[in-house]
Amino acid sequence: GDQAKDRNLEVFRTVIEVLRAGGCLGFAPEGVSRFLPYMEQPFKTGVARIALEAVRQSTEAGDADFKVNVVPVGLAFTHREKFRSDLCMSYCKPIVVDAAYAARFGDSFEAAKALTCRLSADLEAVTINAPDWGVIRCGITAARLHQAADSQLTLKQYL
């Protein structure tokens, strides 16, 4: 309701202030955390809207060089359901959001939509996504069958 909307706006204001002050933040653009074999789609546009608004406010305040680097980070666990499971973090190239980026689009809605699509594509490339857990188990089994008997798979190879 209205209370949730007010809290959301307050979070946006605070996060934008942190970015404008040079801070670094982490977000889950899916907007949810679920135990699924794929990323929940479509992504929420909050990350993009926050980055674009921070750039807009900074530009209006006279800082034409202000930018936000959105760095997609893919997470892949060996056993997500187990506490302290091994984790592989894959960092993508930063997506630079600045006044020039925002100017390429007709309006902020289109810019946010494009940035969210890019973020989704980058994360899709560095995470494990399958229609169900059975497909993932088959892939892991195939990797184990094809490894030499006297070798160990690295975490990256396993994932």
Side-chain angles (χ1 to χ4, degrees):
D2 287 341
Q3 190 176 23
K5 184 178 178 181
D6 289 343
R7 280 195 307 257
N8 198 32
L9 290 173
E10 182 58 33
V11 168
F12 269 55
R13 278 192 290 274
T14 302
V15 167
I16 289 166
E17 286 175 20
V18 169
L19 287 175
R20 291 189 61 209
C24 179
L25 301 161
F27 293 93
E30 306 94 326
V32 295
S33 178
R34 295 195 180 136
F35 186 59
L36 298 171
Y38 54 86
M39 288 186 303
E40 191 75 33
Q41 296 285 343
F43 280 6
K44 307 284 186 188
T45 59
V47 171
R49 293 187 346 242
I50 288 167
L52 290 161
E53 182 60 18
V55 168
R56 187 193 68 73
Q57 288 182 17
S58 294
T59 302
E60 284 183 0
D63 186 357
D65 296 327
F66 181 82
K67 65 182 177 184
V68 175
N69 290 307
V70 177
V71 182
V73 180
L75 304 178
F77 295 86
T78 53
H79 301 284
R80 182 175 180 216
E81 73 283 1
K82 293 182 183 176
F83 182 64
R84 293 192 175 164
S85 167
D86 288 331
L87 166 71
C88 182
M89 295 175 70
S90 300
Y91 294 86
C92 300
K93 291 181 181 178
I95 304 168
V96 179
V97 181
D98 56 12
Y101 180 91
R104 292 196 314 232
F105 302 92
D107 59 35
S108 61
F109 176 79
E110 288 301 318
K113 185 175 163 186
L115 180 54
T116 301
C117 285
R118 166 83 186 277
L119 182 59
S120 176
D122 286 359
L123 286 172
E124 184 84 21
V126 294
T127 55
I128 298 171
N129 292 281
D132 58 57
W133 288 109
V135 171
I136 290 176
R137 283 191 293 278
C138 285
I140 290 170
T141 300
R144 287 179 179 156
L145 288 172
H146 288 283
Q147 88 181 61
D150 59 345
S151 69
Q152 287 281 351
L153 288 177
T154 66
L155 179 60
K156 188 149 182 85
Q157 290 170 327
Y158 177 82
L159 296 171

